Amino acid sequence: MATLLGSESPWTGGKRSVRNGNIIAKIRHSQIVGRGFSRGTQLPEALLQDRDKQAKWHSIPELLQKLHESSHPNSDLSHTHSVLKELSSLLSMEAMSFVTEDRKSAQESTFPITYTFDLFGGVDLLVEILMRPTLTMQKKKPKMNDDLVNDCLSVLYNCCICTEGVTKSLAARDDFVLFLFTLMTNKKTFLQTATLIEDILGVKKAMIQLEGVANLSGLVQSFDQQQLANFCRILSVTVSEPDVGNDDKHTLLAKNAQQKQDSSLSRAEVNQVTLLNIPGFIERLCKLATRKVSEATGASNFLQELEDWYTWLDNALVLDALMQMATEEAEHTSTESSNESSLATSTLRHRLPQSMKIVHEIMYKVEVLYVLCVLLMGSHRNQVHKMLAEFRLIPGLNNLFDKLIWRKYTSSNHVVHGQNENCDCSPEISFKIQFLRLIQSFSDHHENKYLLLNSQELNELSAISLKANIPEVEALVNTDRSLVCDGKKGLLTRLLTVMKKEPPDSSFRFWQARAVESFLRGVTSYADQMFLLKRGLLENMLFCIIDSGCKSKDVLQSYFDLLGELMKFNIDAFKRFNMYVSTDNKVKFQTFMTQINSSLVDSNMLVRCIILSLDRFETQTEDSKVVEVLSECCLLSYLARVENRLSFLFRLVNIINVQTLTQENVSCLNTSLVVLMLARRRGKLPFYLKALREKEHAEKYPGCLLNNFHNLLRFWQRHYLNRDKDSTCLENSSCIPFSYWNETVSVLLGSDRTSLCAIASYIDEPFMDLDRDLLEC
């Protein structure tokens, strides 16, 4: 505090005098001695009251002094509780002003009450009071009153809301954080404890290790379903990797360097394993995710009102408290006389909890689905998949789809959030997005994707394969039909239905398209594509890209990616495409190509799928349908022209470099490789490399393009040769063996300058190794 002498003071509102400095020094000394007001270092009461009045401390120092005196070991804590209640009342009013319309005036206050409370050691004193039973050497631990514990937790939470730094200081105390978990065993202190833990973990620098929580398995198994749902809010912070900006934008070079340093499992992965080892944990989450909610008549009238309240009810735990209060009020009302006014009040009280129950359930499901989604993307994905299938998560979500998940239209003009980003959406929007993320993670490159269909739809896939005279996909044959969706429609079909009704530039469209695309990803299935083509998906995608005027970059990218998977190697899809774009003197086709060329990073996956399809169709000239489409399809004709392929190749290589490669744009490098692999198959690789050399000379940057490409391929080797999953994805999506990918890269990186297939042969000696140390940066 001495450093503040002579500076602008929050204590006096002006320059400090020497006398003021002495007072503060005494106060600070009392804090240092006893984490608050130590007996034996008390300030004169008159002096304290005088300074309190001048500095507007609201009697906080005096109350803290009383609290300290009444809370010594083995003391009667009844007086402690009465003092704490007085403090709690002051702090809760200020906290409420921070989360409602009054927050501006509270923030502009020169000296908030909570700041004073913390400054005089109040936070440390409450932590000491709470943890005191764990510090005693007695065999029989003293038991604290539940109400006292709740008030302590409430005051600490209010301090976290109002005073910057309190949450961080509590988060830095691992012993206190782990201690808080022990308070969750008591149902009466559960809500307050969970609220505070969630707040603390949100700012904690080092992720907590769940292994350190005493008897975590027993704790989780002791929770009822409501508590477990709340606990998922805490778990969501402990199972997901820390947010490092936007994950998609983080460079692969930096990620690879980090992974070299952290060769062992991350803390998040260890926590995921810890949870998976808790008996019955996944089964209970599935039950939470799929349990039904009865909707009373008129409940929807209150929903918009509740969503407005959500600006300050930012926590499902707060809703818990309100639900509990409404329940208690309803019970109290039932014992009162039944006059006309009390009946009206009773009806209102009945409707309010009923409507709140819907939002309450939605908010819980957001957290539960998030935890399941993260586990699905973790290192034990197959184990999680097996359990989610066994516990019928997908059929359960299918049964909820119309009644809860997509029970009504919800406008969505918010920006598209990444997986790790905090979302300020309403509960319904958050719920829908998290549901779509889960479906995407569930379907992506996994045979369990067929659980999204019902038995009739599985039979339809079999019939498509039979008619086309092609074998059924093995995953379809092996699907356990007792685990698929019930009812007239499967979950995928329901999703398609609402997707086509959604406005073309809605951010829901982004997640819907991603979810449907994930169903198609992996080894290309003609039957899967035809199943979706028959439901008008291709025409709907083309309308959104060409005719709708959609401007959202993210949403357009999702359309391009889905369209690519839908059309790849499918001659019927290209025929349908040509029928759609060949009207109006091919104006639609020109618009389509303009959209593709306007952002090649977003559309390159579609370009890759078209080039791969064209290459396969050109080997099927004995098929009259293929020959007909090849001769008529304007899209295939466009990519068949070498000058257009070269134009794409030049731009793909030119828009990326090693230092700017991300998970989002690395696809440009792989698409450029596809072009060159197909050229190599036909003995035309030297022609393409020579064309690149001529292009860079024409642009008056000799060596720049090819040196950049050489560095990109060196990075490609380091990145993909140690990643089985990524290399398998490349092989499955292109139907080109990964060995051929690797072989082509090795040929291109060859050091023999006499080889016509080595990049080095096309770089003049003065311009060789223009960026020699790029990979070392």
Side-chain angles (χ1 to χ4, degrees):
M1 298 298 290
T3 57
L4 293 177
L5 296 179
S7 64
E8 190 73 20
S9 169
W11 295 63
T12 60
K15 297 288 183 179
R16 290 184 188 273
S17 64
V18 174
R19 182 184 175 191
N20 288 340
N22 290 336
I23 293 170
I24 293 167
K26 288 182 181 179
I27 294 171
R28 193 57 179 159
H29 173 69
S30 71
Q31 283 184 269
I32 294 170
V33 170
R35 277 193 181 179
F37 287 90
S38 171
R39 289 175 300 278
T41 58
Q42 297 175 8
L43 296 172
E45 187 174 345
L47 176 61
L48 191 60
Q49 290 176 352
D50 180 60
R51 295 303 306 138
D52 189 296
K53 185 176 181 181
Q54 291 184 43
K56 297 181 180 179
W57 288 338
H58 302 277
S59 301
I60 295 294
E62 186 179 350
L63 288 169
L64 278 175
Q65 191 168 346
K66 291 179 181 178
L67 184 65
H68 185 275
E69 291 170 351
S70 66
S71 62
H72 60 80
N74 303 319
S75 63
D76 178 8
L77 295 178
S78 59
H79 183 57
T80 303
H81 197 187
S82 64
V83 177
L84 186 61
K85 280 182 175 294
E86 197 171 344
L87 281 165
S88 178
S89 177
L90 285 169
L91 293 164
S92 62
M93 285 191 292
E94 185 167 272
M96 185 60 74
S97 71
F98 266 70
V99 293
T100 58
E101 294 303 316
D102 297 326
R103 74 173 62 190
K104 183 177 179 182
S105 60
Q107 288 176 333
E108 290 175 353
S109 172
T110 310
F111 191 39
I113 298 172
T114 45
Y115 177 74
T116 312
F117 180 82
D118 181 43
L119 190 65
F120 279 90
V123 171
D124 288 334
L125 180 57
L126 288 190
V127 170
E128 182 183 311
I129 292 172
L130 281 171
M131 294 189 68
R132 187 166 291 157
T134 67
L135 304 176
T136 180
M137 301 298 290
Q138 301 172 11
K139 289 184 179 180
K140 187 177 180 180
K141 305 291 183 185
K143 181 171 172 54
M144 290 180 64
N145 179 280
D146 292 337
D147 292 335
L148 175 60
V149 172
N150 271 333
D151 282 339
C152 286
L153 294 169
S154 177
V155 170
L156 288 176
Y157 181 66
N158 289 336
C159 288
C160 289
I161 291 175
C162 301
T163 307
E164 187 179 0
V166 170
T167 317
K168 290 181 180 179
S169 66
L170 291 176
R173 295 194 54 174
D174 286 342
D175 60 335
F176 180 62
V177 176
L178 292 175
F179 163 76
L180 285 176
F181 279 89
T182 66
L183 297 181
M184 299 180 77
T185 57
N186 186 341
K187 194 164 186 176
K188 292 182 178 179
T189 60
F190 176 88
L191 280 176
Q192 292 284 9
T193 307
T195 308
L196 184 58
I197 292 177
E198 183 187 347
D199 220 49
I200 290 173
L201 294 185
V203 301
K204 191 169 176 60
K205 287 184 178 179
M207 184 178 291
I208 190 172
Q209 291 282 222
L210 292 177
E211 289 177 316
V213 177
N215 190 23
L216 177 68
S217 179
L219 176 68
V220 173
Q221 288 177 296
S222 72
F223 292 154
D224 60 29
Q225 287 296 80
Q226 207 81 333
Q227 289 175 311
L228 183 60
N230 270 318
F231 191 59
C232 283
R233 293 181 67 90
I234 294 171
L235 293 182
S236 65
V237 185
T238 67
V239 296
S240 52
E241 299 295 345
D243 193 356
V244 282
N246 189 325
D247 195 53
D248 282 344
K249 304 295 190 294
H250 205 53
T251 66
L252 295 179
L253 197 63
K255 284 184 180 180
N256 289 353
Q258 184 64 37
Q259 286 173 357
K260 281 184 180 179
Q261 295 176 5
D262 303 332
S263 55
S264 58
L265 287 176
S266 68
R267 287 193 168 200
E269 290 173 318
V270 172
N271 285 340
Q272 291 174 26
V273 174
T274 301
L275 292 175
L276 290 175
N277 288 332
I278 297 176
F281 176 69
I282 296 296
E283 181 178 9
R284 292 185 67 190
L285 289 193
C286 289
K287 287 180 178 177
L288 275 171
T290 58
R291 70 180 180 185
K292 297 180 179 179
V293 184
S294 58
E295 294 184 32
T297 305
S300 60
N301 297 334
F302 286 90
L303 191 56
Q304 185 58 50
E305 201 175 326
L306 285 166
E307 288 179 359
D308 293 339
W309 295 350
Y310 187 70
T311 55
W312 65 275
L313 289 179
D314 62 344
N315 194 313
L317 300 168
V318 179
L319 275 172
D320 257 339
L322 288 174
M323 286 287 287
Q324 186 175 347
M325 180 173 27
T327 302
E328 290 170 354
E329 286 180 354
E331 290 173 354
H332 178 68
T333 303
S334 65
T335 63
E336 295 177 349
S337 59
S338 301
N339 56 42
E340 188 174 339
S341 60
S342 68
L343 281 173
T345 306
S346 177
T347 303
L348 178 61
R349 286 171 175 168
H350 172 72
R351 293 176 69 199
L352 182 58
Q354 184 61 33
S355 57
M356 286 176 66
K357 188 176 180 181
I358 299 167
V359 180
H360 186 257
E361 187 71 16
I362 285 173
M363 294 175 76
Y364 280 149
K365 288 189 187 315
V366 170
E367 306 301 332
V368 173
L369 293 182
Y370 179 80
V371 171
L372 289 175
C373 189
V374 173
L375 293 175
L376 263 178
M377 297 186 294
S379 53
H380 289 67
R381 185 187 186 208
N382 287 333
Q383 178 188 352
V384 176
H385 243 294
K386 182 179 179 182
M387 289 190 283
L388 297 188
E390 178 185 348
F391 301 132
R392 294 179 57 81
L393 174 68
I394 298 302
L397 291 176
N398 186 47
N399 292 335
L400 283 181
F401 191 86
D402 292 331
K403 293 182 179 179
L404 185 67
I405 300 174
W406 233 276
R407 64 197 182 91
K408 72 182 186 71
Y409 172 75
T410 309
S411 61
S412 171
N413 8 356
H414 66 284
V415 295
V416 176
H417 294 288
Q419 178 70 26
N420 291 328
E421 288 186 72
N422 293 324
C423 179
D424 57 359
C425 309
S426 72
E428 287 223 21
I429 291 176
S430 298
F431 182 39
K432 289 178 178 179
I433 290 175
Q434 199 54 60
F435 162 76
L436 294 170
R437 281 175 170 173
L438 179 71
I439 299 304
Q440 178 188 356
S441 302
F442 187 87
S443 304
D444 193 25
H445 290 89
H446 203 281
E447 61 186 18
N448 276 352
K449 68 180 185 179
Y450 290 110
L451 298 182
L452 295 172
L453 309 181
N454 65 18
S455 294
Q456 292 78 15
E457 291 163 346
L458 292 178
N459 291 337
E460 184 180 341
L461 289 179
S462 300
I464 292 171
S465 298
L466 181 64
K467 183 177 179 180
N469 196 26
I470 56 176
E472 288 185 75
V473 176
E474 185 178 355
L476 174 61
V477 175
N478 294 335
T479 297
D480 185 345
R481 299 209 169 200
S482 68
L483 302 177
V484 301
C485 292
D486 309 312
K488 296 181 179 179
K489 293 181 180 179
L491 193 51
L492 180 64
T493 305
R494 293 183 191 278
L495 178 56
L496 283 173
T497 302
V498 297
M499 178 181 175
K500 289 194 286 185
K501 293 178 181 178
E502 200 71 35
D505 57 354
S506 163
S507 62
F508 284 142
R509 276 278 196 163
F510 172 85
W511 294 110
Q512 289 164 340
R514 282 279 179 259
V516 177
E517 182 210 345
S518 69
F519 180 81
L520 292 171
R521 291 179 68 186
V523 179
T524 303
S525 166
Y526 174 80
D528 293 353
Q529 291 172 324
M530 293 307 298
F531 179 84
L532 297 173
L533 287 170
K534 288 170 65 176
R535 285 157 175 79
L537 181 59
L538 184 138
E539 290 79 7
N540 185 261
M541 289 293 96
L542 291 176
F543 170 80
C544 292
I545 294 171
I546 298 171
D547 302 312
S548 71
C550 176
K551 302 295 183 184
S552 169
K553 183 174 178 291
D554 291 311
V555 176
L556 279 171
Q557 181 185 359
S558 69
Y559 292 156
F560 288 134
D561 291 347
L562 174 53
L563 194 60
E565 291 296 333
L566 189 61
M567 295 178 67
K568 187 168 52 179
F569 306 135
N570 192 309
I571 198 68
D572 296 290
F574 280 90
K575 185 174 182 179
R576 284 173 175 249
F577 173 91
N578 204 54
M579 290 174 62
Y580 189 93
V581 301
S582 294
T583 57
D584 303 328
N585 294 320
K586 297 189 178 179
V587 171
K588 288 183 184 291
F589 178 68
Q590 294 302 325
T591 304
F592 181 77
M593 293 310 302
T594 299
Q595 290 279 46
I596 284 182
N597 284 302
S598 64
S599 180
L600 200 52
V601 170
D602 299 328
S603 63
N604 83 89
M605 292 292 288
L606 173 59
V607 172
R608 185 195 306 181
C609 290
I610 298 167
I611 291 173
L612 285 166
S613 300
L614 176 62
D615 182 75
R616 176 176 291 190
F617 296 154
E618 288 176 341
T619 66
Q620 299 173 340
T621 51
E622 73 285 351
D623 188 323
S624 57
K625 185 200 287 187
V626 171
V627 172
E628 178 188 352
V629 175
L630 275 174
S631 63
E632 294 179 355
C633 181
C634 49
L635 184 58
L636 292 173
S637 299
Y638 183 89
L639 266 299
R641 292 196 284 274
V642 175
E643 63 271 23
N644 290 333
R645 287 198 192 198
L646 283 171
S647 174
F648 277 124
L649 179 62
F650 174 76
R651 291 170 58 202
L652 286 167
V653 175
N654 204 36
I655 58 180
I656 51 175
N657 60 60
V658 171
Q659 291 170 317
T660 60
L661 273 182
T662 66
Q663 199 65 48
E664 183 180 338
N665 63 26
V666 70
S667 57
C668 294
L669 175 56
N670 289 322
T671 299
S672 65
L673 261 177
V674 165
V675 175
L676 294 179
M677 281 191 296
L678 298 181
R680 181 175 171 237
R681 275 184 177 176
R682 302 189 178 204
K684 294 182 178 181
L685 183 55
F687 172 80
Y688 278 77
L689 293 176
K690 182 181 178 183
L692 287 177
R693 181 180 185 276
E694 291 172 353
K695 181 69 173 176
E696 65 180 13
H697 276 266
E699 298 284 337
K700 302 192 185 304
Y701 292 108
C704 182
L705 183 68
L706 289 172
N707 268 298
N708 180 49
F709 191 42
H710 194 275
N711 277 312
L712 285 166
L713 293 179
R714 285 164 60 197
F715 175 84
W716 187 95
Q717 281 186 322
R718 296 188 185 189
H719 183 76
Y720 281 100
L721 293 185
N722 298 317
R723 285 175 168 77
D724 292 339
K725 181 183 176 183
D726 289 351
S727 59
T728 301
C729 289
L730 287 180
E731 182 173 302
N732 288 340
S733 65
S734 65
C735 290
I736 298 175
F738 184 72
S739 58
Y740 194 76
W741 284 78
N742 190 28
E743 185 183 307
T744 302
V745 171
S746 298
V747 167
L748 288 166
L749 291 177
S751 57
D752 183 3
R753 290 179 59 80
T754 64
S755 170
L756 295 179
C757 292
I759 293 174
S761 303
Y762 298 88
I763 306 176
D764 295 336
E765 191 69 40
F767 307 110
M768 281 291 292
D769 291 325
L770 191 63
D771 293 315
R772 181 190 299 272
D773 299 325
L774 253 179
L775 292 175
E776 318 307 326
C777 294

